[in-house]
Amino acid sequence: MLAGGMEELKRLQEEGRISQEQLENALDAEDLRLLDCKVDPAAWYAVAIADRVALLLFEIDGGGRIEYLHDRGRMAADRLIASGLYQQLDSLTDGKAASMSELRLLLRLVVSVQGALFDVGRWSVDTDEKNPARLKVTVEDAAAFPESMRHNVAGFFTRAGEEAGLDSGWISERPRPDLMIYRMDKDYEAPTREEAGAVP
């Protein structure tokens, strides 16, 4: 997610929509050094850097809209799926999950990418106790996980689900500072024979 954010900041610079002073006020010296070089999408960076970049984009380019952060998460999913850097995401393009257990397995693969991207939290996938036709992702020990990234990840899950043929978005909540919960906003429906590619 950081690589895309840095590219977006560079674009805003080139368009004259963000000044050097704004960059220096919002970002740390380490962030500014990264802005001058190419960020490796496969490398690990502290989540605080991604947060500062996301918040600056949120203010300058996103007009303070939460939907903007969701959209950035969707774009990050697109980039990572297209990059081929994470084999866990390759299985998303194989078609719609044939069962709830297969969907759970796919989601665990997606969540494993989040664990590689972020240095915060313990991620798990379970059936949603509020609705057994939906899944949820729980992130414990998440006190240091920024709010900007919480919304980014909801967009990431939504786009990854679309790639797997899932007709559901994801919503998130933070019932306490160290706990985040992501939930599907629609019930899972098993694919028809045609969607599953069955021969009549």
Side-chain angles (χ1 to χ4, degrees), residues 17-182:
R17 295 176 55 196
I18 189 168
S19 68
Q20 186 64 28
E21 182 180 5
Q22 286 173 303
L23 289 170
E24 291 175 358
N25 286 338
L27 303 179
D28 287 357
E30 180 185 1
D31 310 344
L32 294 169
R33 283 193 297 273
L34 285 173
L35 188 58
D36 291 331
C37 60
K38 187 172 178 61
V39 173
D40 181 356
W44 176 88
Y45 298 94
V47 69
I49 301 174
D51 181 42
R52 289 188 290 270
V53 170
L55 288 176
L56 182 55
L57 288 170
F58 176 63
E59 176 187 346
I60 301 294
D61 198 38
R65 296 177 298 107
I66 294 298
E67 295 81 6
Y68 176 82
L69 296 174
H70 281 260
D71 290 344
R72 293 211 58 78
R74 292 174 60 89
M75 288 187 289
D78 276 331
R79 279 192 302 272
L80 287 185
I81 291 168
S83 74
L85 291 170
Y86 293 92
Q87 292 182 347
Q88 304 98 305
L89 299 178
D90 293 345
S91 57
L92 294 177
T93 58
D94 292 341
K96 189 169 183 178
S99 65
M100 194 67 163
S101 60
E102 187 175 318
L103 178 62
R104 185 181 294 109
L105 176 60
L106 284 174
L107 184 55
R108 284 179 176 155
L109 293 174
V110 172
V111 164
S112 72
V113 173
Q114 300 303 316
L117 292 174
F118 298 113
D119 58 333
V120 176
R122 291 185 293 115
W123 302 67
S124 61
V125 180
D126 301 286
T127 301
D128 190 342
E129 72 283 356
K130 294 183 177 180
N131 190 327
R134 303 180 187 186
L135 295 176
K136 71 173 185 177
V137 176
T138 303
V139 190
E140 299 175 278
D141 297 333
F145 201 87
E147 282 294 280
S148 66
M149 294 296 102
R150 174 167 74 89
H151 296 298
N152 275 179
V153 170
F156 191 103
F157 285 164
T158 298
R159 180 64 191 95
E162 289 172 354
E163 193 71 14
L166 183 64
D167 181 28
S168 175
W170 287 80
I171 55 176
S172 66
E173 58 183 296
R174 195 167 208 151
R176 61 176 195 258
D178 65 337
L179 177 67
M180 301 188 303
I181 301 173
Y182 294 88

